[in-house]
């Protein structure tokens, strides 16, 4: 890791922990709730405490004036929900292109255990090699997904995060195993900072309990898209999540501090 990489990691996190809001879903799902007026959503989540937002390269002009000085990550592959196979992520950009549009870091998605794993391993390795030349951090989105693979199995998730470290990533995002005890194995499988994905949106309490569990297991934050940008109040839920990740709040404290309802 270079001085440049270290400096840029500080731009996308706070004291080694991360609240990242991916909004690359326009490629995947179209202009869904929260992404039509992406400028307002970016403004809200960064005011609420998100350290960084993440999009595809073409959205960069809509990001910079609205991110309130926070970090920016450009995602380098993708697929659509209406295509033949959503797990078949195709390359959409390069590290150099990301630098040109003002990115502080890049991200790349790999489905460990899928039929596309071999190509995605090669592609991720190429991204980390190119990124290291420029001192750009790489967030590997390493999921356990494929035929016969349990996407919440801690052993499979541990394998996925270790793969990310083995090929040179700097931060790794993966699925949550369901509870803090089992997620400890995932965190212990790598020396990289581990952040959890959100998946489809649940209740506020369910989202925050997942975040609290990941942090209790030794995790380093979150990279949650739909749970935050599709919320009726993206700023409030970002505030709540940030309160747990950065201020070690309980779920009830985070709900109260953010002004969200204390659901039971």
């Amino acid at each position: 890791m270079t001085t440049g990489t270290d400096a840029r990691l500080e731009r996308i996190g706070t004291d080694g922990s991360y609240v990242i809001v991916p909004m690359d879903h326009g490629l995947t799902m179209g202009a869904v709730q929260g992404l039509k007026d992406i400028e307002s959503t970016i403004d809200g989540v960064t005011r609420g405490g998100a350290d960084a937002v993440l999009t595809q390269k073409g959205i960069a002009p809509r990001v910079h004036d609205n991110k309130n000085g926070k970090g920016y990550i450009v995602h380098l592959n993708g697929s659509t929900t209406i295509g033949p196979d959503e797990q078949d992520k195709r390359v959409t950009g390069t590290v150099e292109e990301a630098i040109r549009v003002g990115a502080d870091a890049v991200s790349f998605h790999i489905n460990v255990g899928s039929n596309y794993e071999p190509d995605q391993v090669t592609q991720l390795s190429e991204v980390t090699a190119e990124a290291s030349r420029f001192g750009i951090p790489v967030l590997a989105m390493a999921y356990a997904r494929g035929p016969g693979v349990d996407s919440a199995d801690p052993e499979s998730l541990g394998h996925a995060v270790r793969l990310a470290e083995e090929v040179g990533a700097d931060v790794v995002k993966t699925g949550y195993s369901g509870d803090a005890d089992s997620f400890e194995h995932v965190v212990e499988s790598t020396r990289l900072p581990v952040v959890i994905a959100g998946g489809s949106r649940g209740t506020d309490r369910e989202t925050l309990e997942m975040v609290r569990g990941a942090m209790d297991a030794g995790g380093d934050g979150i990279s949650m898209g739909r749970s935050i940008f599709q919320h009726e109040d993206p700023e409030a839920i970002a505030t709540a999540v940030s309160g747990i990740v950065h201020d070690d709040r309980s779920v009830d404290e985070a709900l109260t501090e953010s002004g969200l309802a204390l659901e039971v």
Side-chain angles (χ1 to χ4, degrees):
M1 190 176 294
T2 67
T3 301
T5 303
D6 285 339
R8 293 180 178 95
L9 280 171
E10 291 178 2
R11 297 177 196 168
I12 65 168
T14 299
D15 298 327
S17 59
Y18 303 86
V19 175
I20 298 167
V21 182
M23 287 182 263
D24 58 313
H25 301 65
L27 184 152
T28 309
M29 305 167 65
V32 295
Q33 176 187 336
L35 297 185
K36 287 183 179 179
D37 182 8
I38 196 170
E39 291 88 347
S40 294
T41 305
I42 291 168
D43 177 67
V45 300
T46 52
R47 286 183 184 278
D51 296 301
V53 296
L54 179 156
T55 74
Q56 293 281 344
K57 63 187 181 187
I59 301 297
R62 304 175 68 176
V63 172
H64 291 293
D65 290 342
N66 301 289
K67 65 184 179 64
N68 297 302
K70 299 301 183 68
Y72 179 43
I73 304 170
V74 167
H75 196 53
L76 300 182
N77 65 342
S79 60
T80 73
T81 55
I82 60 174
D85 191 337
E86 191 179 349
Q87 291 191 23
D88 185 9
K89 304 290 183 181
R90 298 299 179 101
V91 173
T92 57
T94 67
V95 173
E96 187 172 352
E97 286 177 314
I99 293 169
R100 287 204 298 267
V101 298
D104 301 303
V106 297
S107 60
F108 196 87
H109 183 127
I110 178 171
N111 291 316
V112 180
S114 76
N115 294 328
Y116 307 103
E117 177 198 292
D119 287 339
Q120 291 171 356
V121 169
T122 299
Q123 291 159 0
L124 177 58
S125 299
E126 291 169 348
V127 166
T128 61
E130 185 185 10
S132 69
R133 293 196 296 114
F134 293 104
I136 298 293
V138 177
L139 165 65
M141 300 185 181
Y143 293 88
R145 291 179 181 169
V149 178
D150 179 354
S151 62
D153 172 54
E155 293 293 332
S156 299
L157 293 171
H159 191 166
V161 299
R162 185 51 176 260
L163 183 153
E165 180 181 6
E166 297 278 346
V167 300
D170 301 289
V171 181
V172 59
K173 167 182 176 176
T174 197
Y176 185 54
S177 58
D179 59 79
D181 288 342
S182 63
F183 200 67
E184 283 185 12
H185 170 74
V186 183
V187 173
E188 292 169 354
S189 297
T190 178
R191 290 189 178 180
L192 295 182
V194 177
V195 300
I196 61 162
S200 57
R201 186 182 162 195
T203 68
D204 294 345
R205 180 170 291 278
E206 287 170 342
T207 296
L208 297 178
E209 286 178 346
M210 183 165 58
V211 177
R212 184 69 263 172
M215 298 303 292
D216 289 343
D220 299 279
I222 64 95
S223 176
M224 289 183 168
R226 288 171 287 173
S227 298
I228 296 178
F229 74 72
Q230 288 194 316
H231 197 277
E232 292 82 3
D233 190 340
E235 181 173 350
I237 191 66
T239 298
V241 170
S242 178
I244 293 174
V245 173
H246 293 319
D247 300 316
D248 199 29
R249 291 186 178 129
S250 69
V251 171
D252 283 352
E253 288 170 340
L255 286 166
T256 300
E257 290 291 329
S258 64
L260 295 172
L262 281 170
E263 303 159 335
V264 293

